Amino acid sequence: MAAPIPVDGGGVRAAIPASAHPPLHLNCKSDHSARTYNTPVSEIIEVCPVDELQPGQRRLVEWEDLEIGVFNCGGNLYAIEDRCSHDDGPLAEGEFDETACTVECPRHGSLFDLKTGKPMTLPAYVPVDTFPVIIEDETIKLEVE
Ligand code: FES
């Protein structure tokens, strides 16, 4: 039996021998099977110099088979896929409200929040893709994957 250990305040506490600890079972069996992870690799693409996209303006860029609309809402930049989630209409050419930071699909009128890509009115109900906007070296860039 192990000797008691003095504790601050005059009391004692019993030392527990290592053999009294329950065996440690780590339940982490590995089957060593091969696993593959399809993590998308992001890419940075350039849009334009910062001073070429003023508040209230928009610009369309292409990346692979995507078209992406980049919008300047009062100095904040947002990028969404230029394809309406309702019926694949060209979203970025719709009416752009800089103050509300929305764009209206020109085909059937769904209003989209440019910050989130979420539709605010029917008939669209599925969000469109958004892309992080980066400003680096006075250039607007997008992170795409
Ligand atoms: S294609 Fe955009 S609302 Fe129908």
Side-chain angles (χ1 to χ4, degrees):
M1 174 113 180
I5 300 171
V7 178
D8 288 343
V12 292
R13 139 181 101 186
I16 301 172
S19 61
H21 288 279
L24 186 61
H25 294 288
L26 297 176
N27 193 14
C28 56
K29 289 184 202 167
S30 174
D31 61 5
H32 300 286
S33 61
R35 292 189 180 124
T36 56
Y37 298 95
N38 292 325
T39 306
V41 177
S42 64
E43 187 176 323
I44 305 295
I45 61 170
E46 289 192 9
V47 177
C48 65
V50 170
D51 59 4
E52 290 185 12
L53 191 64
Q54 296 295 313
Q57 293 183 323
R58 73 186 110 184
R59 182 175 285 248
L60 209 56
V61 293
E62 289 182 21
W63 178 73
E64 295 192 345
D65 59 347
L66 280 182
E67 292 200 337
I68 300 170
V70 186
F71 297 79
N72 187 330
C73 296
N76 296 311
L77 299 167
Y78 301 98
I80 63 167
E81 183 178 1
D82 180 31
R83 186 177 57 83
C84 181
S85 59
H86 172 237
D87 196 24
D88 297 336
L91 194 50
E93 69 187 43
E95 190 173 319
F96 169 35
D97 183 335
E98 178 198 349
T99 307
C101 204
T102 57
V103 67
E104 183 179 331
C105 179
R107 289 194 62 198
H108 309 110
S110 279
L111 200 61
F112 285 82
D113 183 338
L114 292 168
K115 296 177 185 174
T116 64
K118 291 180 181 171
M120 301 166 75
T121 61
L122 295 171
Y125 59 90
V126 175
V128 296
D129 285 342
T130 60
F131 303 88
V133 181
I134 300 162
I135 296 178
E136 192 175 62
D137 301 327
E138 296 298 311
T139 303
I140 298 169
K141 300 177 182 181
L142 299 182
E143 187 178 326
V144 293
E145 60 183 43

